[in-house]
Structure formats: C-alpha cells, structure tokens
Amino acid sequence: MKPAEFLSPTTLNDALELKHKHGAAARVIAGGTDLILRMRAQVLTPSLLIDLQHAALNNIKVSDKYLEVGASLTISEVLQNTRIEDLFPAIHMACRKFAGPPIRNRATIGGNIVNASPAADLVSPLIAYDAEIVLKSANGERTMPLVTFFTGAGKTLLKDDEILTQIRLPLSAASTNAYFIKLAQRNSMAISQLNLTTRLNLNRQGLIETARIVLGSVAAVPMRAMAAEAMLVGEKSSEDLFYAAAAQARQEVKPISDIRASREYRLQMTQVLVRRALLESIANV
Ligand SMILES: Cc1cc2nc3c(=O)[nH]c(=O)nc-3n(C[C@H](O)[C@H](O)[C@H](O)COP(=O)(O)OP(=O)(O)OC[C@H]3O[C@@H](n4cnc5c(N)ncnc54)[C@H](O)[C@@H]3O)c2cc1C
C-alpha cells in the first residue's frame, strides 16, 4: 500500500479547506473499513487522508421537518439510537444485520453511502424513507435525494472538493410501516446477495397512500421498483396485490451473476422477498 500523509482536522471547515486545496489527491477517511482495503488493492492511491473523526459530524438532532444524522456516526451508534429505532425502524433492522460488532464500531453511515457499493446495507432503508443528503464544500452546500446520488457501482455525484456531512430523514416518513430484509450466505459478516426495504403508508380508509420498494445488489446502483410501487398506491393491501407487485419488481431489477449469487437466484429471490417484506410491513397494523 502506498503511504499517504494523514491529517486529522479538528473542525469541519478545516477539513473542507484541505479538500478544497488538494481535490482528488485527498481522500476523506471515516472508519476506513472500505477505504483501506481499496488502498491495499491499489484501486485508490490518495496522497493525503483527511480523517473526519474530530470534525463534529457525529450528532443526531431533530429540526422542524427532519431527523438530521451526522455522516460520521458509526453503525453501532445508529443501532443504539432509540429515536432512530422508534421513528425509522428499517434502518435499525439494517444495522442489526450489518457485519459484526468490531466492524460496526468503526464503519460509518457516511462511508456506507459514499463507497457506493450496490450491496450497501444502509442505503435501501435510507432511500425507502426518502432520505436527503447534504454535501458541503468550502464554497457552499447542496442537498439532494439520496436515490439520485449514485451513478454506477462505486460512482456518485460527489465532487472532488465535497464532503458528505449529513443525512436528513423526513419526519413525514417516520413511523410508517416498513421492513428490511438482507439475504446473505451467512447470518453475520457477509455482504448482501440482495437487500431490500419496503415502506407503506396507509390512510384512514386503509388504502395505501405511499409505497416504497427499494432494492440493493440487484443492479449497478440501489434502485426503487417504481412500477411495482405504483401498483400499490390507492389500493387496499392484500396477499394478491403484494404477489402481483412482487412479480412486477422482479421485472424491474437488473441483477448480474457474481461470486455471491447468480442472476437467476437474485431474480427469483427478489420476487419472494418483496412479497414477504410487504406482508411484514403491514403485519402490525
Ligand atoms: C469484514 C467486513 C464486513 C463488512 N460488512 C458489511 C455489511 O454487512 N454491510 C455493508 O453494507 N457493508 C459492509 N462492509 C463494508 C463497509 O464496512 C461499509 O461500507 C462501511 O459503512 C464503510 O464506512 P467507513 O466509515 O469504514 O468508510 P471508509 O472506508 O472510511 O470510506 C469509504 C469511502 O467513502 C468515503 N467517505 C467516507 N465518509 C465520507 C464523507 N463523510 N464524505 C465524503 N466521503 C466519505 C471515503 O473517502 C471512501 O471513498 C464490510 C466491510 C468489511 C471489511
């Protein structure tokens, strides 16, 4: 592994100034659980690492419309947060299925997003809750829906001088009926063969008002099965409806075969697990 200079700024502004000055030659390091492996494999060869541990990006607060989650929160910290567990339980479920405790203690929510693996476990629940992300640079900030951030496997819209600072979860999506499923070769310490989150919001008449079906590891980027979602909206939930929506979701995904699963297996399991997750989403209504 090529040695890189390591700087640990004590404010976010200092971190942003460093990114502004060094651009693509500098890489932000959070938990390092992805980055160090990619540096060892010479996929990434930054000359400077900017450590975010002291840049005050590990807080959670409630604003008027959002639960605001700092990008440097570790998976363990997200898992232990009772507000997230109560308001956005599918995120909590995903954290429980994430690696094992030693990795959870280092890996961050921001690193999981920016690494842009199609199999990233926190991304499908975040998209299902309509999460937005805040990207800052020395020149200002911009926000965007998380679902639009990914442009390909390992590729995002992050600019060379930007840092992901915050994930915003709309309170309007809180406490709706959601469920997360991870399919992997083992129960822990395994990367997803497929992961998915469904979220349903029912109105007073029991009709589905909002539907989200978000899948990971079945395309180059995490994706919503939007035609399947559209089939659910305005309908009364039923086993038949969920069966039809799951069959539609299968038509929308574009999986590949790789070392973890074949394309055919992923297609089949998309249909099986979307149906199961939809049923679980409304199990306690
Ligand atoms: C043994 C093992 C098991 C794993 N199991 C799982 C699993 O079950 N599920 C899963 O989803 N992943 C898993 N992973 C992958 C990894 O742990 C996660 O993707 C993790 O969330 C990455 O976070 P990090 O803080 O370590 O990121 P880092 O490795 O520090 O960074 C990853 C990338 O994001 C960039 N980055 C990080 N933070 C920011 C920021 N705030 N702004 C801009 N850029 C940033 C870095 O420059 C780098 O390119 C596993 C990894 C290992 C080694």
Side-chain angles (χ1 to χ4, degrees):
M1 186 166 81
K2 209 170 144 214
E5 192 183 352
F6 186 93
L7 293 176
S8 200
T10 51
T11 66
L12 176 61
N13 279 347
D14 288 351
L16 292 171
E17 282 304 328
L18 285 170
K19 207 67 186 100
H20 183 69
K21 188 169 164 204
H22 297 275
R27 201 90 208 175
V28 158
I29 180 163
T33 61
D34 278 319
L35 181 60
I36 296 298
L37 299 188
R38 299 184 94 186
M39 287 174 65
R40 278 198 190 131
Q42 307 267 313
V43 177
L44 294 172
T45 52
S47 55
L48 171 64
L49 292 178
I50 305 170
D51 172 30
L52 283 187
Q53 271 190 57
H54 307 290
L57 293 178
N58 48 4
N59 47 351
I60 296 188
K61 61 176 195 221
V62 184
S63 70
D64 274 1
K65 288 170 40 187
Y66 299 101
L67 186 75
E68 299 176 348
V69 179
S72 293
L73 276 177
T74 64
I75 307 304
S76 294
E77 287 168 330
V78 176
L79 183 61
Q80 283 153 18
N81 189 279
T82 50
R83 216 175 237 170
I84 291 182
E85 183 178 359
D86 290 346
L87 299 178
F88 302 101
I91 297 173
H92 180 82
M93 291 179 206
C95 292
R96 285 179 55 191
K97 296 286 178 186
F98 195 106
I103 294 286
R104 281 184 215 148
N105 288 343
R106 288 222 49 93
T108 62
I109 186 167
N112 199 234
I113 293 171
V114 178
N115 189 57
S117 161
D121 282 328
L122 290 199
V123 172
S124 78
L126 290 171
I127 291 176
Y129 287 119
D130 297 336
E132 294 171 14
I133 53 173
V134 181
L135 306 174
K136 278 198 180 169
S137 71
N139 296 322
E141 72 171 51
R142 59 188 179 131
T143 61
M144 67 176 73
L146 176 58
V147 70
T148 63
F149 182 57
F150 305 102
T151 55
K155 294 187 187 138
T156 70
L157 294 175
L158 188 80
K159 293 183 185 154
D160 287 341
D161 63 346
E162 287 180 323
I163 291 177
L164 167 65
T165 57
Q166 201 180 71
I167 299 101
R168 291 185 180 157
L169 293 160
L171 293 172
S172 55
S175 306
T176 48
N177 307 291
Y179 201 75
F180 170 85
I181 296 179
K182 172 172 178 169
L183 181 68
Q185 284 166 328
R186 294 181 299 275
N187 279 335
S188 64
M189 298 303 285
I191 302 295
S192 288
Q193 294 167 307
L194 190 158
N195 63 45
L196 78 133
T197 306
T198 56
R199 180 169 76 84
L200 299 175
N201 186 19
L202 308 186
N203 68 15
R204 285 204 187 130
Q205 290 76 43
L207 300 179
I208 298 168
E209 216 164 52
T210 312
R212 295 285 180 272
I213 300 173
V214 189
L215 294 124
S217 221
V218 291
V221 296
M223 58 163 285
R224 282 175 59 188
M226 294 181 77
E229 291 174 359
M231 285 174 71
L232 298 171
V233 175
E235 302 293 330
K236 200 162 177 55
S237 55
S238 71
E239 291 222 12
D240 285 350
L241 179 67
F242 291 167
Y243 187 88
Q248 174 56 42
R250 179 192 173 123
Q251 301 298 317
E252 292 178 67
V253 298
K254 294 181 181 60
I256 55 165
S257 296
D258 62 17
I259 49 164
R260 284 190 287 279
S262 68
R263 177 177 179 277
E264 292 69 28
Y265 182 65
R266 285 187 162 110
L267 281 171
Q268 181 64 20
M269 293 315 287
T270 295
Q271 182 163 350
V272 171
L273 296 180
V274 166
R275 179 175 165 274
R276 189 175 300 166
L278 288 169
L279 286 168
E280 291 288 350
S281 293
I282 55 141
N284 300 319
V285 172

